[in-house]
Amino acid sequence: MLAGLLDASHLLPIDRLAEAAAVHAGAAGFTDVLIYLGDLQRRVVRLLEGSEPPGGGHQTEIRIDGTAPGRAYQYGHMVSADPPGGEGSAWWVPILDGTERLGLLYAAAEHDDARTQEDLDRLAALLALILVSKRTSSDTLAKLSRTEPLNIAAEMQWNLMPPGTYADGRVIISASMEPAYQISGDAYEYATDGPLVHLTIFDAMGHDTAAGLSAALALGACRNARRAGADLVAQAEGVEAALIEQYDYHRYVTGVLATLDTRTGMLSWVNRGHLPPIVIRGSRWTTHLKCPPAHPMGTGLGLDGTVCHEQLEPGDRIVLYTDGITEARGPAGNEFGVDRFTDFIIRHHADGLPVPETLRHLVHAVLDYHEGKLQDDATVLLCEWLGPSQDGTEAAAALVGLAPEERTNTET
């Protein structure tokens, strides 16, 4: 099954992936093979073109919250799709690119045993690799991921951002941006470089396409400087130089540029006119990290950038965010606020939710608080340091919903 699908995938257009998956899965005894992919806001999964088998009857769109398929997506483990009293077995299997939730695989099987579940898990893993290899060149996948039109800035931003979730034995990183279809000037960045993890968040002035262009320029300049070996201060200066050259002091970007040394837990950062990072420790204590801010990048005000340091403990969570998160106002005019923001993360962590799911709930709570319409971009980037060992993958798996015991969960 896997070898056949892998061989076929090299010359396979995306609109025939579902058909090919069904054919090759059929050789292993699976029927009714369907592929669902998540939308940008992670509210629904939608059926990939060509997935519907003869006879139909399957939903083309399924809500994530409050459904059995949604639980498989949220918690990253297999969930039974058997109807009460039915024969054989059927399963919802998360399709994961590393720890990023891409969507769901549905399949029915003659048998209900460990080998069947193992085969389905591996089929979903191969589908994830194929989907990721083709999504940068596929309008089919791009259109499937959106439930409403994107503005031009959002079209640019989503193609610049790294995946929403990353994990290894040392760190777990998760990020989210809203309003997903109307982003203007926010951007986030993370990257690993040996033992170093780089974390960056930008907020460009304005709420238009020009803001999106400024954020894209800032992100490109930051990456360029960092990959050339520049330190944090020089990276920020590189962003400022690019903005001034392009916009002649008429546009600016605020931001935090940070580096975590996973060998020691030392966090270093520079604040360029932005909201300070937050550290959440032990799921009960929070602090705003203090650091003298330099001027927003692009203004050329001449304030020296300062590199500040904070010693983290294993399990600490670093949170970078933009003001759209905390300043979102409810109908009565009250802000969502920093306290509500941090309390939400702490409470949902205590509930045992995977890190990406905590963030998904948080962003939806902000949207709901503002009745679905934000006046500003709301972006959050969360990084949890697990410790110096690169072998701590068991803890990472549990925190992102990939614990082995959960993958065989048959709860309906």
Side-chain angles (χ1 to χ4, degrees):
M1 174 180 69
L2 299 178
L5 182 56
L6 180 60
D7 286 343
S9 71
H10 300 298
L11 300 175
L12 191 67
I14 199 66
D15 56 312
R16 294 196 58 201
L17 176 59
E19 176 191 346
V23 168
H24 291 284
F30 297 115
T31 59
D32 290 344
V33 176
L34 308 174
I35 299 171
Y36 287 83
L37 298 176
D39 74 315
L40 285 176
Q41 291 182 307
R42 296 180 287 180
R43 290 187 181 274
V44 298
V45 289
R46 309 176 80 194
L47 190 64
L48 178 65
E49 179 183 345
S51 282
E52 185 71 5
H58 292 277
Q59 294 174 267
T60 58
E61 184 174 292
I62 302 172
R63 287 184 302 107
I64 290 173
D65 290 324
T67 66
R71 281 200 298 277
Y73 183 92
Q74 289 173 292
Y75 293 95
H77 60 71
M78 202 177 296
V79 169
S80 172
D82 292 342
E87 296 182 0
S89 63
W91 301 92
W92 291 105
V93 189
I95 298 176
L96 303 168
D97 172 34
T99 54
E100 182 192 9
R101 287 144 169 76
L102 301 181
L104 293 169
L105 167 68
Y106 172 90
E110 235 180 273
H111 305 288
D112 180 4
D113 55 26
R115 176 59 187 272
T116 297
Q117 294 180 33
E118 185 178 281
D119 286 346
L120 282 174
D121 200 37
R122 290 175 176 176
L123 175 58
L126 179 55
L127 287 172
L129 294 175
I130 296 171
L131 287 164
V132 168
S133 73
K134 297 180 182 296
R135 66 180 172 183
T136 55
S137 60
S138 172
D139 275 2
T140 298
L141 294 177
K143 289 187 286 187
L144 192 66
S145 71
R146 55 192 73 179
T147 58
E148 59 184 84
L150 269 69
N151 65 9
I152 295 173
E155 191 75 61
M156 293 189 299
Q157 301 300 72
W158 283 117
N159 283 290
L160 290 172
M161 301 301 104
T165 304
Y166 170 85
D168 58 31
R170 305 162 299 173
V171 293
I172 295 169
I173 302 169
S174 195
S176 188
M177 295 197 302
E178 287 288 350
Y181 298 96
Q182 300 294 321
I183 301 165
S184 50
D186 279 9
Y188 70 83
E189 161 85 327
Y190 65 81
T192 60
D193 182 10
L196 305 179
V197 175
H198 304 292
L199 306 164
T200 307
I201 197 162
F202 291 127
D203 185 356
M205 67 169 283
H207 307 288
D208 52 13
T209 303
L213 289 169
S214 299
L217 179 59
L219 190 56
C222 178
R223 286 174 175 168
N224 183 258
R226 189 181 71 232
R227 291 167 181 172
D231 61 20
L232 290 170
V233 171
Q235 290 170 37
E237 291 300 323
V239 172
E240 170 146 280
L243 289 167
I244 291 173
E245 179 183 4
Q246 185 65 38
Y247 295 112
D248 192 25
Y249 301 96
H250 294 297
R251 311 285 309 186
Y252 66 83
V253 175
T254 70
V256 171
L257 298 82
T259 297
L260 171 63
D261 189 331
T262 61
R263 295 166 298 189
T264 63
M266 181 61 69
L267 177 71
S268 305
W269 79 98
V270 170
N271 187 334
R272 295 300 299 257
H274 198 78
L275 297 166
I278 294 173
V279 168
I280 299 176
R281 177 164 296 161
S283 295
R284 62 184 181 276
W285 176 80
T286 63
T287 185
H288 290 80
L289 299 182
K290 295 180 180 178
C291 188
H295 56 274
M297 294 165 286
T299 58
L301 297 179
L303 299 176
D304 292 334
T306 302
V307 179
C308 296
H309 305 279
E310 179 76 12
Q311 179 61 57
L312 302 183
E313 298 177 3
D316 281 357
R317 292 184 173 189
I318 310 133
V319 185
L320 308 181
Y321 61 101
T322 62
D323 55 10
I325 287 281
T326 53
E327 294 179 7
R329 294 182 181 274
N334 299 321
E335 291 185 349
F336 192 79
V338 175
D339 290 342
R340 192 193 306 263
F341 169 52
T342 53
D343 182 62
F344 191 100
I345 295 175
I346 290 171
R347 284 189 293 106
H348 280 69
H349 175 66
D351 290 342
L353 284 178
V355 172
E357 192 59 18
T358 295
L359 209 56
R360 190 181 76 89
H361 279 255
L362 167 67
V363 172
H364 290 175
V366 172
L367 281 170
D368 292 343
Y369 187 80
H370 201 60
E371 297 186 333
K373 294 183 179 180
L374 294 172
Q375 295 178 342
D376 195 4
D377 294 348
T379 301
V380 58
L381 175 64
L382 185 153
C383 174
E384 179 168 346
W385 180 53
L386 302 178
S389 173
Q390 297 186 37
D391 301 321
T393 52
E394 254 184 59
L399 286 166
V400 294
L402 297 179
E405 64 270 18
E406 291 183 332
R407 273 183 263 174
T408 56
N409 187 302
T410 59
E411 179 187 5
T412 59

